[in-house]
Amino acid sequence: SQTIHQWPATLVQPVGSPLSLECTVEGTSNPNLYWYRQAAGRGLQLLFYSVGIGQISSEVPQNLSASRPQDRQFILSSKKLLLSDSGFYLCAWSSQVLRANTGELFFGEGSRLTVL
Amino acid sequence: GQSLEQPSEVTAVEGAIVQINCTYQTSGFYGLSWYQQHDGGAPTFLSYNALDGLEETGRFSSFLSRSDSYGYLLLQELQMKDSASYFCAVRPGGFKTIFGAGTRLFVKA
């Protein structure tokens, strides 16, 4: 069966510090990978998605970046965090098979980031 | 731009039926999905509609009208554990999925 892991689960970082969140998927190959951010009590904002190694689509201009160094690994980074980067970051994967596919997203447990 | 509109909050009593509406404006449309999220947890997939009509999965049903850019999630025989946030989501094209702001459902005894 497929599983998705992301870490760390919780982190508190000072403004201006770097960030690295990591996500890995097991049990499937060539998944679509996504990073979403959720502010407290709000919806999910799509930040980045990737359909293959080294292929990253950015949805929101910001000081965050994403990389996909391996097929099932997705990393979210920042060189200098802002207060507004605080939130709940969710990694997700979906199958690339579109035919008769619901496009169901399978989410990791999330990483809660507080920037002080 | 692309937008999905849904009510921010809904309150209902245990055993009742509740409907959560979603209207969308997107550049393309491959299908409408619904996700459930409990406090502090990750969203989980509930249902998907690509064509007009009603899809039923146990106590949950989802409806889509493509001509009206409208859908809803129907929850029957409400239970306390159904208290959660519910998100509608649209695939406007390819592999991208965008979400509404979510509807917070409170189920009262």
Side-chain angles (χ1 to χ4, degrees):
Chain A
S1 64
Q2 301 88 6
T3 58
I4 178 169
H5 305 281
Q6 63 175 108
W7 66 93
T10 307
L11 65 166
V12 180
Q13 295 285 101
V15 170
S17 64
L19 171 74
S20 181
L21 300 178
E22 189 163 340
C23 172
T24 60
V25 180
E26 296 177 359
T28 188
S29 59
N30 200 27
N32 300 313
L33 296 172
Y34 307 80
W35 279 110
Y36 285 88
R37 177 171 62 198
Q38 186 175 33
R42 304 294 299 277
L44 284 77
Q45 179 187 34
L46 179 61
L47 301 176
F48 302 94
Y49 69 98
S50 170
V51 299
I53 296 174
Q55 301 179 58
I56 309 295
S57 296
S58 174
E59 290 297 301
V60 182
Q62 59 213 326
N63 68 321
L64 299 173
S65 63
S67 62
R68 184 171 178 171
Q70 300 180 46
D71 180 46
R72 291 171 291 173
Q73 184 185 27
F74 207 24
I75 298 171
L76 182 70
S77 304
S78 174
K79 292 182 180 178
K80 288 186 178 182
L81 284 168
L82 306 173
L83 286 174
S84 58
D85 291 325
S86 293
F88 191 45
Y89 289 81
L90 289 154
C91 181
W93 74 272
S94 71
S95 170
Q96 289 220 7
V97 178
L98 276 181
R99 180 183 292 275
N101 185 3
T102 65
E104 177 179 355
L105 294 173
F106 300 89
F107 286 88
E109 291 305 308
S111 298
R112 192 167 302 281
L113 170 65
T114 303
V115 182
L116 301 176
Chain B
Q2 312 201 80
S3 66
L4 290 85
E5 300 290 330
Q6 53 181 129
S8 59
E9 281 187 15
V10 173
T11 300
V13 297
E14 210 172 4
I17 299 172
V18 70
Q19 178 174 313
I20 300 174
N21 299 320
C22 174
T23 57
Y24 57 88
Q25 280 189 313
T26 56
S27 55
F29 182 83
Y30 277 61
L32 179 72
S33 301
W34 290 91
Y35 288 78
Q36 178 191 61
Q37 184 183 32
H38 287 98
D39 283 348
T44 56
F45 176 85
L46 291 177
S47 67
Y48 175 75
N49 295 71
L51 303 174
D52 287 358
L54 191 68
E55 295 282 343
E56 298 181 66
T57 308
R59 294 188 296 115
F60 294 178
S61 303
S62 57
F63 172 82
L64 174 65
S65 169
R66 294 176 66 128
S67 60
D68 295 322
S69 298
Y70 164 77
Y72 66 72
L73 179 69
L74 192 72
L75 296 84
Q76 303 182 70
E77 301 173 19
L78 279 175
Q79 302 175 9
M80 297 299 290
K81 67 178 181 180
D82 297 328
S83 292
S85 293
Y86 293 83
F87 297 89
C88 59
V90 166
R91 286 171 54 199
F95 300 104
K96 188 165 71 171
T97 299
I98 57 175
F99 284 77
T103 298
R104 181 86 179 194
L105 171 63
F106 296 95
V107 180
K108 302 189 300 184

